[in-house]
Amino acid sequence: LAVMRVPAPKAGEFPKAFELTDAMAMAPGLNLSSFPEVVIEARISKSGNAQLQPGDLSGVSDVVKPGTRNIKINISKVAP
């Protein structure tokens, strides 16, 4: 629904604060605020590409309501 691209944090820059808004919608009319619940995925891409690549690191949040604060995402998976 929404995407945010930031440079990968360096050691000591974790946790990384972020805010997702309707302005970040990937398609017109698919606003984050229109959905009662969402899951947020965070990915660290070695290549910098949006498509998942082997070796990329990722993690997902629990199901949350848009506007929820202090969401923790554990980056704990490596794409095969």
Side-chain angles (χ1 to χ4, degrees), residues 52-56 78-80:
L52 184 65
Q53 302 287 318
D56 286 355
V78 180

Side-chain angles (χ1 to χ4, degrees), residues 1-2 18 20 32 35-42 59-66 71-73:
L1 298 177
F18 65 93
L20 297 175
L32 193 64
F35 292 82
E37 297 178 320
V38 295
V39 173
I40 299 170
E41 178 182 0
V60 296
S61 71
D62 293 330
V63 176
V64 297
K65 294 180 182 186
I71 297 167
K72 302 221 187 294
I73 302 172

